[in-house]
Amino acid sequence: MSEEVKCLIIGSGPAGYTAAIYASRADLKPVLYQGLQPGGQLTISTEVENFPGYPEGVQGPQMMEDLKKQAVRFGTDDRFGMITEVDLSSRPFKAIADDGNQISAKTIIIATGASAKWLGLESENKFNGFGVSACATCDGFFYKGHDVAVIGGGDTACEEALYLSKLCNKVFLVHRRDELRASKALQHNIFKTKNIIIEWNHVLKEITGDKTVNGVTLENVNNKEIKSIPVEGVFIAIGHNPNSELFKGQLELTDSGYIKTKPDSTKTSVDGVFAAGDVQDNVFRQAVTAAGSGCMAAIEAEKFLMQNEN
Ligand code: NAP
């Protein structure tokens, strides 16, 4: 099948669905491909307490379901599937989906987000899915009543640790420095949670076990002392990489792979291609800022179409 669309949106997190709400209301009849993780990173998070408009907080998956419904209500063509190839060398742009569908798009909004980073240890790879995870809400249940370790000191690591503290016996939060990067509110919760033990100034050297995990080996970064802690699960929460692989060589990227956008804009290095959310933001990376940039991308796409439609 092949089709022509005014606006193709790639990605289904807060940026993608907000772009879709605005683009559909502006009659751009957007087609949205959800990508590898429908609903984006918030579908694997728990309580979202800082998105405006939810005074009691909201579960991440619920918020994404609401955003999707809102986009579909205004006519977004929301599709399960991935865009596997793009050609941005001339307009209309070309994109191919994993079902073979060939799309010719007048504008593209990229909202492909970011994915969890791994430490790169051999043992981390060996036990991935068998005691090693990057998602407490997905896998925490398996460690009910057991001891686990969380690696990292940012918001993600603290949220994961707090979530696990409700299910697990002990949670060891392993951080390479002597202060957390996470927000003060999260730090406060961490410090007052009795079964979270912080291993300051330690890095993970190895995950041990036979078929499944039975412990972690940590190194003190100051005196290089090694110690082992028995745990059944290890949650890696050390940050994210932008999902920009598809656009390498076609759009300008930063050294760390984020899509470059013009100041105060979602315009990329190619006219008619816009980027919103975590794939272009290595500073704020919040659901609300992603949603805001999704809105900007749709408005900019609409303006671009008005100026270039004929
Ligand atoms: P992050 O802020 O980049 O934090 C990553 C953490 O992992 C840091 O503590 C870092 O240590 C540590 N780390 C990185 N590489 C490491 C390595 N190789 N070995 C050991 N430790 C390593 O990432 P994030 O926590 O995923 O958060 C990403 C963004 O999303 C942030 O802007 C955050 O505010 C936002 N976020 C917000 C919420 C919320 O508002 N509810 C929830 C989740 C995420 P150092 O501190 O020493 O650098």
Side-chain angles (χ1 to χ4, degrees), residues 50 119 153-156 159 175-177 181 238 240 286:
N50 52 11
L119 287 165
D155 283 338
T156 304
E159 280 190 344
H175 184 37
R176 63 183 176 184
R177 291 188 295 131
R181 177 181 295 280
I238 58 163
H240 294 86
Q286 303 297 302

Side-chain angles (χ1 to χ4, degrees), residues 53-126:
Y54 294 98
E56 307 303 329
V58 58
Q59 292 293 312
Q62 182 60 53
M63 192 173 103
M64 291 321 302
E65 200 49 42
D66 289 347
L67 277 172
K68 173 175 152 175
K69 273 192 200 149
Q70 199 174 348
V72 170
R73 180 180 150 215
F74 294 114
T76 298
D77 185 345
D78 180 57
R79 298 181 187 174
F80 182 76
M82 306 232 325
I83 295 295
T84 52
E85 256 178 70
V86 290
D87 177 359
L88 309 179
S89 59
S90 61
R91 291 204 305 266
F93 308 114
K94 304 279 177 294
I96 302 178
D98 54 358
D99 60 1
N101 190 24
Q102 302 202 8
I103 301 158
S104 171
K106 289 183 174 168
T107 61
I108 296 184
I109 295 176
I110 301 167
T112 45
S115 303
K117 269 188 198 165
W118 298 98
L119 287 165
L121 299 172
E122 207 175 295
S123 51
E124 174 191 57
N125 196 23
K126 175 178 165 195

Side-chain angles (χ1 to χ4, degrees), residues 41-42 45 47-50 117-119 151-159 174-177 179-183 186 202-204 237-240 278 282-287:
Q41 290 179 70
L42 279 184
S45 82
E47 188 87 0
V48 179
E49 291 188 321
N50 52 11
K117 269 188 198 165
W118 298 98
L119 287 165
I151 316 299
D155 283 338
T156 304
C158 290
E159 280 190 344
V174 180
H175 184 37
R176 63 183 176 184
R177 291 188 295 131
E179 83 185 315
L180 297 172
R181 177 181 295 280
S183 70
L186 276 172
H202 277 85
V203 289
L204 179 65
I238 58 163
H240 294 86
D278 285 10
N282 69 343
V283 180
F284 301 106
R285 297 182 290 188
Q286 303 297 302

